[in-house]
Amino acid sequence: MKWFTDLFVEQSFVQAIVVLSLICAVGLLLSKIKIKGVSLGITFVFFAGILAGHLGLNINPQMLALAQNFGLVLFIYVLGLQVGPSFFPSLKKGGIKLNLLSLGVLVMGTLMAVVASLVTKITLPVSVGLLTGAATNTPMLGAAQQSLLEIHPDATDVSNQMAMACAVAYPFGIIGVILSIVILRSMFCKGGESSKQVHENPTFVTELRVINPAICGKNIKTIMRGVHPHLVVSRVWKFTGANEDDANEGIVIIPNGDTVLEKGEHVLVMSKESEVDQVEKLFGEKVKKDWNKKDIDWNHIDGSLVSRHVLVTKSKINGAKLGDLHLRNAYSINITRVNRAGIDILPSSNLRLQTGDKLTIVGQEKAIDSVAAVLGNQEKELRNPNLFAIFVGVIIGLIVGAIPLSIPGMSVPVKLGLAGGPIIIGILMGAFGPRFHVATYTTMSANMMLRQLGLTIYLAGLGLSAGPGFFETVFQPEGLLWIVVGVLFAMVPVLLIGIISTKFCGVSYASNIGMLCGAMANPIALNYALSTVEDDEPSVSYATVYPAGIFLRVISAQLVILMMMG
């Protein structure tokens, strides 16, 4: 049986794979444990690694570093790739307010970490480690460790202390944010109601009556020329009888650029909710509900026309402008909306299509078949992973992360490192890759698989390196201090910014708690937050602040270490 024992204790590449796989398997098995509906999820892999390290399991340090760092790079790059398309749009309009509030959570926590290292016996690296655990942000920990080792290559023990501090604060970070949500709910959420939503529906539908004399008798192409609000006229009701108010005396058509609008006709317009007033001024007036009259059946269109979904799968279409394809004029069809990653987008001539986009097209069956042939519409093509974009992006990310950036007053140049470089390139590739005809699309399941694989391997290696000496440290008076400081790091910024955002910024309770969970990169707390409201508003605000938040936390951790220890 010596051969079996050697698989776990005799250092080799086989032993390294076996040990890391064992840690991952045990951690994922434990992740199914829930206490009152709350689970630490994949974080159990971290604690399984700590336990393995405490029991004496170890692997070759170079192999451990390779597995741990590659897992981190893979996780954070694919994460950037996923949030890239929503990163820059999230900074617009209502998202700016939420991202500034999220930044306040980050700044307050960072200042608390620096102050704690000055007024207590806790060192700065340990304080930063506690902050990463309180923020449940392991990429932030990885960035801080990389920066520390850049300055002091022999500070492996200090780096492991940071990991131990993160492990101590992590569960209290989850619990602390949930407790903060409970407190905020008791303060601001009366009867489960939330105040006015700050996010707008990107595809708001309005029924209007055409009475503006400036557009009557003109075709839609002429009307749309020079119009500021971006809108789509998806249906037109043309009356065929003497009474224009009788819904029975008219037909619903799918318009194109040559469709002429006459006075009294009704149009169904898709626009942003914030631009409804401008749209109303353009056409005339909104149609109000009249219970004494029959409503127009907008779905009852010409029998020769159909509505179908068509997927963009051809590589040459990836990054092409919708207007450059001339689909509407060439095939007499109407594109009413574009769905990208579950979000509806208003189609415009300047919209760049991406692989995986789902277009809703209305027209004759043969015409739509022709458009489908142009765009691809081969769902099986989307199942093939675009690995080229992943490996090239990782290479570019690591190159960017290795560039030394000199900052006045700092003795050591700043490097974005293994965490900062890949996440920046991931975001840029996700946002702008299609413009350069680089296919970055991956199915949600494939993206989650890569992220979970990278994060699981990283957490296993992180826990294994922090395991020796972990319990000896925690069960000392110093360990109790770590727990108290970790709880403060988790709750104080969340509560203060949560109060400020509701009291002085007019953010609803639902948006507020979603923003706070996103600022703390805490999906477990988000799951709890969603149980306290009736809609998915917290998810919207979470997604709005998460991309910028994850990026800024990775960068801030490095700056604190470099500025204070460089």
Side-chain angles (χ1 to χ4, degrees):
M1 292 296 291
K2 185 177 183 301
W3 64 269
F4 184 77
T5 306
D6 288 345
L7 281 177
F8 296 90
V9 297
E10 190 70 29
Q11 290 188 354
S12 66
F13 70 89
V14 174
Q15 181 253 2
I17 295 173
V18 168
V19 170
L20 289 174
S21 298
L22 176 63
I23 293 171
C24 293
V26 172
L28 292 173
L29 185 64
L30 294 175
S31 68
K32 300 182 183 297
I33 297 175
K34 292 184 178 181
I35 301 176
K36 293 188 176 181
V38 177
S39 170
L40 295 180
I42 198 173
T43 312
F44 272 111
V45 175
F46 187 19
F47 295 111
I50 289 174
L51 181 61
H54 174 72
L55 295 176
L57 281 178
N58 61 81
I59 63 178
N60 182 281
Q62 291 182 333
M63 293 182 184
L64 177 60
L66 173 62
Q68 185 175 329
N69 290 329
F70 184 72
L72 174 65
V73 170
L74 183 63
F75 166 71
I76 205 163
Y77 173 75
V78 177
L79 176 64
L81 205 61
Q82 182 204 19
V83 303
S86 63
F87 181 81
F88 295 102
S90 73
L91 302 180
K92 298 178 181 178
K93 297 186 177 179
I96 294 178
K97 180 194 292 185
L98 292 179
N99 275 283
L100 288 175
L101 290 168
S102 174
L103 179 61
V105 175
L106 184 153
V107 171
M108 188 173 297
T110 304
L111 291 176
M112 288 179 65
V114 174
V115 171
S117 69
L118 297 176
V119 301
T120 68
K121 296 180 180 179
I122 297 176
T123 63
L124 180 66
V126 169
S127 186
V128 172
L130 292 172
L131 178 63
T132 63
T136 59
N137 197 317
T138 46
M140 184 181 181
L141 172 64
Q145 288 179 308
Q146 286 297 318
S147 296
L148 176 67
L149 294 175
E150 284 283 340
I151 304 171
H152 304 291
D154 57 343
T156 305
D157 291 341
V158 179
S159 176
N160 289 338
Q161 269 197 324
M162 293 175 70
M164 281 191 277
C166 177
V168 170
Y170 204 107
F172 297 100
I174 295 172
I175 296 169
V177 175
I178 292 176
L179 287 176
S180 299
I181 292 173
V182 171
I183 295 172
L184 291 172
R185 187 186 185 199
S186 66
M187 294 175 63
F188 301 117
C189 187
K190 306 301 181 183
E193 297 179 356
S194 61
S195 58
K196 184 178 179 181
Q197 187 173 350
V198 299
H199 299 278
E200 63 176 351
N201 188 335
T203 54
F204 194 78
V205 180
T206 312
E207 181 183 346
L208 301 127
R209 180 183 290 107
V210 178
I211 60 173
N212 182 2
I215 68 169
C216 292
K218 295 182 179 179
N219 61 32
I220 292 178
K221 185 191 301 181
T222 303
I223 296 170
M224 293 296 101
R225 192 174 295 137
V227 172
H228 171 64
H230 177 41
L231 55 91
V232 173
V233 181
S234 62
R235 301 282 195 280
V236 175
W237 178 80
K238 289 185 171 291
F239 56 87
T240 57
N243 184 6
E244 65 183 51
D245 290 328
D246 189 348
N248 292 317
E249 298 187 14
I251 59 171
V252 176
I253 67 169
I254 304 299
N256 55 37
D258 296 324
T259 301
V260 177
L261 299 182
E262 302 292 352
K263 183 178 179 180
E265 294 177 347
H266 292 210
V267 291
L268 208 61
V269 179
M270 299 171 62
S271 68
K272 293 183 179 179
E273 187 173 2
S274 60
E275 296 177 342
V276 168
D277 290 341
Q278 299 177 59
V279 174
E280 182 180 355
K281 291 178 182 178
L282 175 64
F283 289 96
E285 63 181 7
K286 283 193 289 186
V287 176
K288 297 181 180 179
K289 181 75 173 179
D290 189 342
W291 298 103
N292 296 318
K293 296 180 181 179
K294 182 180 178 181
D295 291 334
I296 296 173
D297 184 2
W298 290 103
N299 293 318
H300 185 65
I301 57 177
D302 186 343
S304 66
L305 300 177
V306 296
S307 176
R308 274 175 46 192
H309 296 308
V310 175
L311 294 169
V312 177
T313 59
K314 278 192 176 179
S315 58
K316 67 179 182 180
I317 301 297
N318 186 45
K321 286 186 177 181
L322 188 57
D324 293 341
L325 301 176
H326 305 292
L327 298 176
R328 171 182 269 185
N329 294 333
Y331 301 100
S332 298
I333 53 90
N334 193 15
I335 300 172
T336 58
R337 69 185 66 193
V338 177
N339 185 280
R340 179 175 297 163
I343 300 174
D344 284 333
I345 303 172
L346 289 172
S348 69
S349 59
N350 291 322
L351 177 66
R352 291 185 181 272
L353 297 178
Q354 296 184 14
T355 301
D357 285 350
K358 182 190 293 183
L359 280 61
T360 301
I361 302 177
V362 178
Q364 293 187 342
E365 187 77 35
K366 290 184 178 180
I368 296 180
D369 288 340
S370 299
V371 174
V374 172
L375 301 179
N377 200 37
Q378 299 295 319
E379 187 174 359
K380 62 181 181 180
E381 295 292 331
L382 298 180
R383 299 171 190 166
N384 298 326
N386 294 306
L387 295 178
F388 175 79
I390 292 175
F391 287 112
V392 170
V394 167
I395 293 171
I396 299 174
L398 293 176
I399 292 173
V400 170
I403 298 174
L405 305 172
S406 298
I407 298 178
M410 295 182 63
S411 58
V412 178
V414 176
K415 293 182 181 180
L416 295 174
L418 292 177
I423 197 171
I424 289 177
I425 298 302
I427 289 173
L428 293 177
M429 287 281 281
F432 303 112
R435 295 194 180 189
F436 301 97
H437 302 284
V438 176
T440 59
Y441 174 83
T442 56
T443 62
M444 184 59 69
S445 58
N447 186 283
M448 285 296 296
M449 179 70 178
L450 288 171
R451 283 168 51 193
Q452 293 288 80
L453 179 64
L455 182 59
T456 302
I457 294 173
Y458 169 67
L459 290 176
L462 187 66
L464 191 62
S465 62
F470 175 80
F471 292 100
E472 290 81 353
T473 302
V474 171
F475 294 113
Q476 289 183 356
E478 183 182 13
L480 179 61
L481 177 61
W482 286 11
I483 293 174
V484 172
V485 171
V487 171
L488 292 176
F489 285 174
M491 295 189 67
V492 173
V494 170
L495 284 174
L496 287 180
I497 298 299
I499 293 171
I500 291 172
S501 65
T502 301
K503 283 276 191 180
F504 304 104
C505 300
V507 179
S508 70
Y509 162 77
S511 286
N512 193 14
I513 57 177
M515 176 272 295
L516 294 171
C517 292
M520 299 297 282
N522 197 326
I524 298 172
L526 176 66
N527 288 336
Y528 172 78
L530 287 170
S531 69
T532 68
V533 295
E534 295 182 355
D535 54 28
D536 63 348
E537 191 176 344
S539 296
V540 176
S541 53
Y542 181 95
T544 299
V545 303
Y546 183 82
I550 194 78
F551 166 70
L552 291 175
R553 280 200 178 273
V554 166
I555 301 301
S556 66
Q558 297 179 88
L559 289 177
V560 169
I561 294 294
L562 293 172
M563 292 177 68
M564 301 296 292
M565 300 186 66

